[in-house]
Amino acid sequence: MFEKLVAPCEKEVTKHWLYADQVFTSIICTTFNQECYIRDTIEGFLAQVTEYRFEIIIHDDLSTDNTRAIIQEYQQKYPSIIKLILQDVNQFSININLPFKHSLAIAQGEYVALCEGDDFWVDSSKLQRQILALKKHNDLNLCVHNAYIINSEEEPHSSYQFPTRKEATHIIDYAEIYKVHSQFCPTASMFIRKSVLDNLPSFFYDAPIGDFFLEAFSGINGVVYLHEKMSVYRRESQNSWSSETVNNTVKLKKHNLRMIESLDKLERYLEPEYSRNVKIRKQYIFGQLCTQSVLQNKYLESVKYFNKYRAQGAAFKSLLSLLYRCSKTLFMRRAF
């Protein structure tokens, strides 16, 4: 399926840098208690073969396992490449977007590549290919690629369901970001012009999840898509957001309510030609809130969210589908 990358020594990493006078790419990695995974992540960074100088910024959010010792070990071996941010107070518990904000603040690159501490890269040409892709498409700000998915035991889980059937590099329309029910692209595939990130609106840092909004801000005008699978996503790994939230109805409902608040702000912020896409995302979330309210036996609340779902312009067929899901949920609830 794929082979994990192995990092060479620092001299071998930097010898490929034909353009070493400045940092072109800042790799941002946020991590917390991921001692089982972080070595794979860092090895994938350091194994990149590219003409353009890069830096690695690793933000440790007060890990209580061996994560901090591991990243310090790598920093000592690669002092000219790796920068560490070592927190003495857990930032995620204050605001989930603070680790990213702190990392971005010291990033010097023209581009930013993202990869969390439980995912990893498996193609040594990833950075080179993505930087060339955005240099070719000067009017676009986001480049993404396909990815493998594995479970916590590192067994193949499924293939990433990207919103495209084309098997070659092409431009994905901005609206597709909003049509995907989970996440548009794997976080470890995201490669963004830093100029976009330097101008994020303040409400971004109040959003309940960062990835989607980064896609929404950087994907305007379209997204460069590379079909090759160049990273690996660990599904519901230890200490991941999804493992803590997705399977908890109460937490997920609170998350969805905060998402609606942030989407309202996004809708007002974007130009009309782009803001109409926000309704697609809001419709899906109101549908989730509707069924979640049924699970909590809050039927009047469920009706309220159904009406909000309908107000986003849902088609008649979609309305029937949501009613069916709610009735099925209610039946299962009473049956068991």
Side-chain angles (χ1 to χ4, degrees), residues 77-285:
K77 292 180 180 179
Y78 302 86
S80 69
I81 302 175
I82 297 178
K83 299 177 181 179
L84 301 183
I85 301 176
L86 306 176
Q87 296 292 353
D88 53 13
V89 175
N90 183 271
Q91 301 297 294
F92 187 91
S93 61
I94 300 171
N95 182 309
I96 67 168
N97 293 307
L98 279 182
F100 172 74
K101 185 177 184 179
H102 296 320
S103 302
L104 184 65
I106 67 168
Q108 297 180 340
E110 182 180 347
Y111 306 93
V112 170
L114 302 182
C115 185
E116 296 174 343
D118 53 351
D119 299 330
F120 56 100
W121 299 345
V122 291
D123 191 317
S124 61
S125 67
K126 170 190 158 67
L127 288 187
Q128 177 75 5
R129 297 186 63 185
Q130 289 192 289
I131 197 170
L132 292 179
L134 285 191
K135 281 182 174 293
K136 179 180 179 181
H137 299 279
N138 291 322
D139 58 331
L140 304 182
N141 299 308
L142 174 62
C143 178
V144 302
H145 57 71
N146 213 333
Y148 299 98
I149 300 179
I150 60 175
N151 61 22
S152 56
E153 285 74 40
E154 301 206 352
E155 299 168 336
H157 185 276
S158 62
S159 59
Y160 195 86
Q161 298 301 309
F162 230 93
T164 178
R165 293 183 179 179
K166 296 182 180 179
E167 296 186 356
T169 298
H170 66 283
I171 308 304
I172 297 179
D173 187 75
Y174 180 61
E176 296 299 323
I177 292 173
Y178 296 86
K179 295 178 182 178
V180 180
H181 290 168
S182 53
Q183 186 172 324
F184 166 69
C185 71
T187 303
S189 79
M190 295 175 70
F191 190 87
I192 309 171
R193 291 188 198 277
K194 187 171 180 287
S195 57
V196 174
L197 304 179
D198 287 337
N199 293 287
L200 291 172
S202 59
F203 72 82
F204 166 79
Y205 293 102
D206 295 324
I209 192 168
D211 295 347
F212 165 77
F213 289 92
L214 289 178
E215 295 163 350
F217 292 122
S218 62
I220 290 176
N221 297 331
V223 181
V224 183
Y225 169 72
L226 309 179
H227 184 68
E228 288 74 16
K229 296 178 180 179
M230 295 190 281
S231 64
V232 177
Y233 166 62
R234 282 191 171 97
R235 182 180 175 88
E236 297 184 14
S237 61
Q238 181 182 353
N239 294 308
S240 69
W241 177 88
S242 58
S243 66
E244 296 291 329
T245 305
V246 172
N247 297 319
N248 185 311
T249 301
V250 175
K251 284 186 177 181
L252 186 56
K253 187 175 179 181
K254 289 181 179 179
H255 166 79
N256 281 334
L257 288 170
R258 289 188 60 201
M259 275 293 290
I260 290 296
E261 292 178 5
S262 294
L263 286 170
D264 285 340
K265 295 175 183 177
L266 177 65
E267 192 170 15
R268 292 191 294 269
Y269 176 83
L270 294 174
E271 296 293 332
E273 61 182 305
Y274 304 117
S275 65
R276 61 175 178 265
N277 295 300
V278 180
K279 292 184 181 298
I280 300 172
R281 189 72 172 190
K282 288 171 69 175
Q283 179 182 313
Y284 170 71
I285 295 176

Side-chain angles (χ1 to χ4, degrees), residues 33-70:
N33 285 358
Q34 291 166 330
E35 64 178 359
C36 297
Y37 313 128
I38 193 66
R39 288 188 185 276
D40 290 341
T41 306
I42 299 174
E43 293 277 326
F45 298 158
L46 293 167
Q48 291 301 301
V49 178
T50 175
E51 299 172 326
Y52 301 90
R53 179 181 172 186
F54 63 85
E55 65 179 359
I56 301 169
I57 301 170
I58 306 176
H59 179 287
D60 179 63
D61 209 10
L62 193 60
S63 293
T64 56
D65 63 1
N66 201 39
T67 299
R68 181 163 294 193
I70 294 172

